[in-house]
Amino acid sequence: MKRLAIGVDVGGTNTVTGLIDETGNIVGQRTFKTRDYPVFEEYAHQLVGEIEALRSLVPDAQIAGIGIGAPNSNPFTGFIEDPVNIQWYDRNADGSRGMLLRHIPLVSHLKQFYPILPIAIDNDANAAAVGEMIYGGAQGMRDFIEITLGTGLGSGVVANGQLIRGHGGMAGELGHVILRPEGRVCGCGRRGCLETYVSATGIVRTLMEVMADDLRPSQLRSLPPERIDSRMIAEAAQAGDPLAQEAFERTGMLLGEALANFVAFSQPEAIFLFGGLTAAGQLLWAPVQRSMEQHMMRNYRGQVKLLPSGLPRSEAAILGASALVWQELRHPTARR
Amino acid sequence: MKRLAIGVDVGGTNTVTGLIDETGNIVGQRTFKTRDYPVFEEYAHQLVGEIEALRSLVPDAQIAGIGIGAPNSNPFTGFIEDPVNIQWYDRNADGSRGMLLRHIPLVSHLKQFYPILPIAIDNDANAAAVGEMIYGGAQGMRDFIEITLGTGLGSGVVANGQLIRGHGGMAGELGHVILRPEGRVCGCGRRGCLETYVSATGIVRTLMEVMADDLRPSQLRSLPPERIDSRMIAEAAQAGDPLAQEAFERTGMLLGEALANFVAFSQPEAIFLFGGLTAAGQLLWAPVQRSMEQHMMRNYRGQVKLLPSGLPRSEAAILGASALVWQELRHPTARR
């Protein structure tokens, strides 16, 4: 009998569910619009319907559990806590939309439908790290760091073969390590956080800085800054634009510097980079590698592999979510 | 039958051995001068003699293993690698002193005498962290960081109830996280490492900086800088010397800033401070606590305990070394 895991990727736009086997083959996949169900109970009802539809694809399969990747989720409580990009509401007695929910009891709600199945939840970057370990480039590794480069910078740290979750389930927020005291203002209210430099939004800010420092012409000077995104910078850089190239150089140098410090913490066998910015290839890769080696303590040099994620980009979220199931079976989470 | 562990603290001056029970009671303790045995084989012979003398104190005890705390030791290989403060030599065929040994096979040598006993080795700070977990203030904690403030800054990180050792056994070198790029020159060859600011030697450098910045008189201005040590600064600060107080203030602020970044990595339940500088009490404690809270991401504030080590200062090294035995029995090290 085939053992399969359910993966759920809760996004601000789409909620994707998948049925995945132990080697990472996606047996089935479904998608619905998260915002079509603003009342949480109705969202959960829809989600259960999707899961059941997936299960019916392989009626004789043994479902090992449900893994959920969701921003701002807490693996210990099973809640999504103060989500930023998603809003759900309570339901009033008359069925109408009630108050905004600050903490969403996703796991306990699903437990009503699946009381026996293991259900694991974690944030997207931690799910990506576990996905890397179970299906991706980190198979067989016991110590590695996953860095996800999106709008912000997310991370998941694996040490001794286990995800580091921390005392309250919020470990591995490496995007909010302060790299430059007195540096750029961050959405978190502080200054100089790594993700204000190294992320899709960070590189746009860096391009502005380069434009200020440099006199060379660039096609990007003809655009309103708020219309520039990281993909345009990557395309310009690949077409030879010197300012766009310099923006990647600075981004890579800063990431390498930060990674060197992370190595002093957990001495990983490898660091995996995942996400949009990595599509820029050597423009990003070369300065990261150079800067990491240059900034590391001598004992660590030449030993830490810098690798692209081994997860397919478009399916990474759902794979990561489902991987939480296999991780949960190995190391059950103590719910708090 | 009583279960006892042998603890061995290998220091540049003294080698201390102890017989310790599971609750941290020291049943017996012995000391010899490390430098009296510059030929490694003779040192190891002496060490075995000391261990046997300890065992004879409780003839009916069951010895659970031998734990060794030694600078620059590698838990995976069992070697002391390129030690800085200790030098041992090979023995020539005629018994005379041979070549300087770069890698000292301490564990494999002891294995000849104790082939069945578990033997664990780690650096002093990791041993202190394990000691904190087994006998000290971290009993029952699964996630904490131990910071040892001596000549340098050492650290041991525990996550998911296990010491983070890293891929090559060299994780947790937080003294060499770069806090100030372009900052002070470090013995490791780089610049701005945390321990160039926060350590017994770091605070002396900070005092020099304060003397340069500040015009107020201080009794410390009458002394040659190379004669000033951290204890003199602590005494002057406690006696009201404004420059010495400012040196502690700056040291504490920088440590707090660094700790805030460490929290983003592993979200510990507590951070323990151990070592000479902590004897300065609130002079150090108050700015560390204030700065850590101020620099942490909002989600972490008010949640991480800053605690003094619960290990008795004079016996911490031997307790930490022996604690490695109990840790080894729980999570055996895969030798490489």
Side-chain angles (χ1 to χ4, degrees), chain A residues 72 76 142-143 145 155 157 159-160 162-174 176-181 187-190 257 260-269 294-301 303 305 336, chain B residues 72 76 142-143 145 155 157 159-160 162-174 176-181 187-190 257 260-269 294-301 303 305 336:
Chain A
N72 303 92
F76 296 140
R142 293 179 54 78
D143 303 277
I145 299 177
S155 62
V157 181
N160 295 324
Q162 281 186 63
L163 190 65
I164 297 187
R165 285 181 155 152
H167 182 56
M170 293 187 300
E173 289 285 353
L174 300 184
H176 292 283
V177 160
I178 294 179
L179 189 67
R180 289 287 178 268
C188 77
R190 301 175 306 153
E257 184 183 328
N261 276 348
F262 302 161
V263 168
F265 206 99
S266 67
Q267 201 201 6
E269 176 176 357
Q294 173 190 324
H295 285 96
M296 274 195 299
M297 200 165 46
R298 201 179 301 119
N299 325 25
Y300 299 132
R301 282 185 199 152
Q303 290 181 43
K305 299 169 204 151
R336 295 176 188 183
Chain B
N72 303 91
F76 296 141
R142 292 180 56 78
D143 303 277
I145 299 177
S155 63
V157 181
N160 295 326
Q162 281 186 63
L163 191 65
I164 298 187
R165 282 177 158 155
H167 183 57
M170 291 189 300
E173 288 285 353
L174 300 184
H176 293 283
V177 161
I178 294 179
L179 189 66
R180 290 285 179 269
C188 78
R190 300 176 307 153
E257 185 183 326
N261 276 348
F262 302 161
V263 168
F265 206 98
S266 67
Q267 200 200 6
E269 176 176 356
Q294 173 191 324
H295 285 95
M296 273 194 298
M297 200 166 45
R298 201 181 299 120
N299 325 23
Y300 299 132
R301 284 185 196 150
Q303 289 179 45
K305 298 169 203 150
R336 299 176 186 184

Side-chain angles (χ1 to χ4, degrees), chain B residues 70-153:
Chain B
N72 303 91
S73 58
N74 185 316
F76 296 141
T77 64
F79 280 71
I80 300 178
E81 299 179 350
D82 298 309
V84 179
N85 299 317
I86 317 175
Q87 296 196 323
W88 279 299
Y89 297 84
D90 209 356
R91 182 158 62 178
N92 289 328
D94 63 2
S96 65
R97 179 193 296 190
M99 293 211 317
L100 183 68
L101 289 170
R102 284 193 51 215
H103 288 191
I104 293 112
L106 185 52
V107 169
S108 62
H109 202 93
L110 286 177
K111 276 277 176 199
Q112 296 174 21
F113 296 89
Y114 306 105
I116 303 168
L117 281 189
I119 305 181
I121 191 168
D122 216 322
N123 71 55
D124 325 45
N126 280 351
V130 176
E132 200 73 70
M133 179 163 55
I134 307 265
Y135 310 123
Q139 290 177 62
M141 290 188 186
R142 292 180 56 78
D143 303 277
F144 70 94
I145 299 177
E146 181 96 6
I147 302 282
T148 63
L149 299 165
T151 310
L153 184 151

